[in-house]
Amino acid sequence: IVEDGKQIIYSGSVGKMLPVVLVQGKSVQIGSYPQGVNPVAVLAEIICASEADYNISDTYGEESTVPPVWNFARDLKPGYDFSLPRRGAGYCNVLTFSKTPAQIMDWFVGKCNQGAQAAMAKQGCGHSLKVMTYGELLKLAQAKAGFEAFNKELQSQMANKLQVEQLDFPSITLWAMEQVLDFTELDEPVVITAFAPPYYPALNSGKLVGEGFKNVVDFVGTLLPVKCKEYFMGISDCSYLGMDAEFDSEALAANMPCWGKLYSYDMEALAKLQIPFLLLGPWGKDLHQRTERVHIESLGVVLPKVLQEVCGFVWKN
């Protein structure tokens, strides 16, 4: 990325979480609408309450994360009929600098409650709509007879969906949430919140090594015109070089259906790793668009020499 004629380098990589919601309404023939609960309407209110909510955005220095963005929302009906859907689902991306999974889940539950209340007020029906986390739902399931056998089969099917059917993690997460909800036999309207993989911790090299990192940035500036920013907002694998946020990983694990054999990593080991990094890529444009492209000279001539010089500087110092 180039800004004001200068190459942008980043000393940090933004974190990302993927909150997921499953809404179970009450399916009735549309002519009996007042007796039902439309999960699509509830989902729409949750989206309106949370989309672009700058109050949850993280700030570090002069930089801020973009607000939550929803990128999937739909009913779960297999086809058309003249009735309200029984369930709807969606998920949104939340970027972070320092906020923890527990903080994001608290925010998300609050927005789901806000959306649920707004939807019920509009419809004016006599139904209540409870909001609970996946962890709370799982405890209800664990209290029922036959859970151990059910969970063993559930984990097997989830692995098959990932490895054989090659479904993505959000799809598997929603499928698993439905299976657990079915097992509990809860038939009343309810909103279930969870997390889907992947989880990217936020990490900043400046926080890891302090002033020593500034020397590297200054050296890069002697090789080409650069402008340093704290966080790369496009997400990168540098998130897994350490961890600069203290949080209870249980909040993530307890509310992530895929956590375990399908998806997990050692949080304590990650916190001990603490490898500083510098994100310096070739000049390009239109990331993730049809017209995405990279400047050939920047990629093949300029940056290889710069990276070689930087590696030599770090090695010597």
Side-chain angles (χ1 to χ4, degrees):
I1 299 176
V2 174
E3 187 175 296
D4 298 329
K6 296 182 178 181
Q7 187 100 16
I8 304 296
I9 58 175
Y10 302 90
S11 59
S13 192
V14 74
K16 183 188 84 75
M17 281 174 258
L18 193 67
V20 177
V21 63
L22 173 65
V23 182
Q24 177 169 277
K26 182 173 178 57
S27 181
V28 296
Q29 196 243 25
I30 288 177
S32 302
Y33 174 72
Q35 285 74 53
V37 173
N38 188 351
V40 173
V42 176
L43 184 58
E45 292 292 345
I46 293 173
I47 293 172
C48 287
S50 54
E51 171 88 7
D53 179 14
Y54 281 92
N55 291 321
I56 196 64
S57 294
D58 261 345
T59 299
Y60 185 78
E62 297 181 355
E63 297 178 16
S64 297
T65 61
V66 297
V69 178
W70 285 78
N71 53 358
F72 177 87
R74 60 157 295 174
D75 69 88
L76 299 179
K77 286 175 69 171
Y80 172 78
D81 58 34
F82 192 63
S83 63
L84 296 180
R86 184 167 180 248
R87 290 174 178 168
Y91 46 80
C92 64
N93 280 283
V94 179
L95 302 186
T96 65
F97 291 157
S98 61
K99 286 188 171 64
T100 67
Q103 290 172 318
I104 297 302
M105 181 55 72
D106 286 346
W107 165 82
F108 196 53
V109 168
K111 291 301 177 180
C112 287
N113 272 307
Q114 182 181 335
Q117 292 171 12
M120 294 299 93
K122 282 184 178 180
Q123 184 171 337
C125 65
H127 292 289
S128 61
L129 188 54
K130 184 177 182 179
V131 177
M132 66 172 67
T133 65
Y134 177 75
E136 293 170 332
L137 177 70
L138 191 60
K139 287 181 180 179
L140 294 179
Q142 290 169 338
K144 291 183 65 68
F147 173 78
E148 188 174 337
F150 160 77
N151 189 53
K152 183 177 180 180
E153 178 61 23
L154 176 68
Q155 298 302 318
S156 175
Q157 290 188 47
M158 289 171 67
N160 184 75
K161 289 185 176 296
L162 178 66
Q163 298 163 6
V164 179
E165 298 181 34
Q166 297 187 333
L167 296 184
D168 56 51
F169 279 122
S171 298
I172 297 171
T173 297
L174 285 171
W175 179 86
M177 291 169 72
E178 285 205 88
Q179 303 310 303
V180 175
L181 182 54
D182 288 343
F183 180 77
T184 64
E185 298 182 314
L186 284 175
D187 196 42
E188 63 265 27
V190 65
V191 177
I192 312 295
T193 63
F195 286 123
Y199 167 58
Y200 287 81
L203 191 63
N204 189 292
S205 295
K207 293 181 181 180
L208 295 181
V209 295
E211 283 299 315
F213 188 75
K214 184 177 181 299
N215 296 333
V216 179
V217 175
D218 290 342
F219 177 75
V220 177
T222 67
L223 304 174
L224 74 166
V226 296
K227 183 177 183 179
C228 187
K229 290 190 175 182
E230 295 290 347
Y231 286 95
F232 175 61
M233 299 294 179
I235 303 173
S236 78
D237 289 341
C238 291
S239 281
Y240 303 116
L241 295 178
M243 187 173 292
D244 66 4
E246 294 182 4
F247 64 87
D248 182 1
S249 61
E250 288 301 316
L252 185 72
N255 294 299
M256 185 177 281
C258 291
W259 188 265
K261 292 183 179 179
L262 256 66
Y263 180 86
S264 67
Y265 51 86
D266 191 331
M267 297 283 187
E268 292 184 4
L270 195 62
K272 294 177 182 178
L273 199 59
Q274 306 297 69
I275 300 175
F277 63 90
L278 183 70
L279 276 166
L280 174 60
W283 176 26
K285 286 188 176 181
D286 300 346
L287 186 65
H288 287 189
Q289 299 180 46
R290 185 178 63 84
T291 52
E292 181 177 355
R293 59 202 184 275
V294 66
H295 192 275
I296 293 178
E297 184 176 355
S298 174
L299 174 66
V301 179
V302 176
L303 275 184
K305 293 179 180 179
V306 170
L307 293 175
Q308 187 173 20
E309 291 288 336
V310 171
C311 289
F313 176 82
V314 173
W315 182 261
K316 293 176 183 177
N317 294 275

